[in-house]
Amino acid sequence: MASEPHGAELARQCKALGLSTQVLWGSDAITMIASHELADIVMAAIVGAAGLASCLAAARAGKRLLLANKEALVVGGDFFLQAVKQGGAKLLPIDSEHSAVFQSLPDDSSVWAERIDKIILTASGGPFRKRDPLTLRDVTPEQACAHPNWVMGRKISVDSATMMNKALEVIEAHFLFGARPEQIEVVIHPQSVIHSMVQYVDHSVVAQLGTPDMKVPIAYGLAWPDRMTSGAVALDFRAMEDMTFEALDSHGHGQRFPGLKLAWSVLKGPAGSTAVLNAANEVAVEAFLQDQIRFDQIHAVNLGTLESLPTTAPQSLDDLLELDARSREKARGIVGRLRN
């Protein structure tokens, strides 16, 4: 459980029912469970930087780590990958886009660098793909959370509406697959049937397709290297609508989604820049959901935090947490000025 009062209440009810269930609570308990000797597979799905410590614990304990928390890589970067390597963990992406890339790559990761030309991440474009950028200042939290294809939590839904989720996925792809920033592209694919693609050096393209249902990547991660029945609805090509694609700079997408380009900027910036961007965005989204800033000001908070906060290469979890805290403090200051 997240908090002690809720954990204690659940423990009381379990005891009253005569159950021997042990109830734990707090971040330390999550870290303990993630590294417990009885856990063979750990699904990391805590949203935001809050999931970093337990992800690191699972990696160091050598678990099969099904990573649905993209922020662990965005914040942890090379430090997190070092923990995976040292612990002998197997890192399997659960984000539908990164799972699609992983399924489209050769099994032997040692040949990726010589065979892969680029990674192409698809994006639905969210609920505002066709909306006039000048009207985005009037967007409400309810509108931003109404995704056309996926059912997600409020924070991730807002990230999809701003396309910041895709910026984080570009960063994640860089660390997961060792791709250079210029090797990662994003294309808008409104139908969300092709989940992502890999273009090889001979310019052939391998893609993974499926209905927009997280059961598929989760089942793949659980069964890897085999496959299992997922429970997802199969694609019916006879009934499928046309599949369309749009470039990021077409139809005003560049004005509509300015935050997306920050992904390539921070990957080419000082070490720790990706952690700063993630922290700023979490603060900005929360402020928007609480009606403290406008939808179009989320980007201003992210950009302002990045421009005003120098970074040094984090060398430990404490360094990462300190950088995260300083970034959040700076972002909250920008939110306060925007409110006034």
Side-chain angles (χ1 to χ4, degrees):
M1 302 293 286
S3 66
E4 181 175 357
H6 293 96
E9 174 60 20
L10 181 58
R12 186 192 65 77
Q13 293 188 29
C14 287
K15 184 177 181 180
L17 291 172
L19 302 175
S20 59
T21 304
Q22 182 182 7
V23 181
L24 306 175
W25 52 80
S27 57
D28 289 344
I30 296 172
T31 299
M32 185 273 284
I33 290 171
S35 58
H36 198 283
E37 61 181 3
L38 293 180
D40 299 316
I41 301 174
V42 175
M43 167 77 86
I46 297 174
V47 175
L52 177 59
S54 53
C55 284
L56 281 167
R60 289 168 176 158
K63 305 300 183 183
R64 178 189 295 190
L65 180 53
L66 310 188
L67 191 65
N69 170 300
K70 60 174 64 69
E71 291 85 359
L73 271 171
V74 172
V75 176
D78 290 325
F79 177 75
F80 176 67
L81 291 179
Q82 184 180 13
V84 171
K85 183 177 181 180
Q86 290 176 344
K90 180 60 184 178
L91 187 62
L92 296 175
I94 298 301
D95 265 355
S96 61
E97 295 83 358
H98 300 92
S99 177
V101 171
F102 186 74
Q103 294 180 58
S104 301
L105 286 168
D107 292 336
D108 184 359
S109 60
S110 67
V111 303
W112 289 356
E114 64 187 62
R115 294 188 187 179
I116 304 308
D117 181 33
K118 62 183 177 181
I119 289 170
I120 305 169
L121 302 177
T122 58
S124 69
F128 308 134
R129 179 174 62 89
K130 296 183 178 180
R131 183 159 174 159
D132 183 345
L134 297 178
T135 69
L136 292 178
R137 63 178 290 128
D138 302 320
V139 164
T140 67
E142 289 69 29
Q143 291 171 328
C145 291
H147 195 280
N149 297 336
W150 298 90
V151 178
M152 305 177 290
R154 286 169 65 80
K155 192 270 181 183
I156 299 175
S157 295
V158 174
D159 281 348
S160 179
T162 62
M163 289 278 278
M164 182 51 64
N165 72 319
K166 208 54 54 176
L168 299 179
E169 287 171 13
V170 168
I171 297 168
E172 188 180 6
H174 162 72
F175 288 114
L176 271 174
F177 308 117
R180 301 185 306 275
E182 60 271 18
Q183 285 183 293
I184 306 171
E185 291 186 8
V186 173
V187 62
I188 293 183
H189 170 49
Q191 294 80 20
S192 297
V193 172
I194 296 177
H195 297 301
S196 279
M197 298 169 271
V198 174
Q199 180 171 298
Y200 287 80
V201 293
D202 61 359
H203 288 176
S204 63
V205 177
V206 176
Q208 187 264 337
L209 286 70
T211 52
D213 191 329
M214 288 305 298
K215 295 187 186 78
V216 175
I218 292 172
Y220 182 74
L222 289 171
W224 182 88
D226 298 319
R227 290 186 182 265
M228 62 188 290
T229 301
S230 69
V233 176
L235 282 177
D236 183 353
F237 288 94
R238 297 165 298 181
M240 190 182 300
E241 298 179 0
D242 293 339
M243 290 193 293
T244 59
F245 305 90
E246 301 168 9
L248 285 181
D249 55 358
S250 65
H251 307 296
H253 292 325
Q255 294 176 301
R256 197 176 288 109
F257 308 121
L260 179 54
K261 293 185 178 180
L262 292 178
W264 289 272
S265 297
V266 296
L267 284 176
K268 296 176 181 178
S273 298
T274 56
V276 174
L277 175 60
N278 178 76
N281 185 63
E282 288 189 18
V283 170
V285 170
E286 181 62 25
F288 166 68
L289 289 173
Q290 294 180 359
D291 292 319
Q292 296 175 354
I293 61 173
R294 301 192 311 267
F295 179 81
D296 63 332
Q297 292 177 322
I298 293 174
H299 177 62
V301 175
N302 294 339
L303 187 61
T305 305
L306 282 169
E307 290 177 341
S308 62
L309 197 66
T311 60
T312 55
Q315 301 297 322
S316 66
L317 177 58
D318 287 340
D319 288 348
L320 287 169
L321 295 177
E322 180 184 357
L323 179 58
D324 180 80
R326 287 194 292 119
S327 302
R328 290 172 189 274
E329 182 180 2
K330 187 67 182 180
R332 291 188 186 102
I334 297 174
V335 167
R337 290 195 294 274
L338 291 172
R339 291 180 66 184
N340 297 328

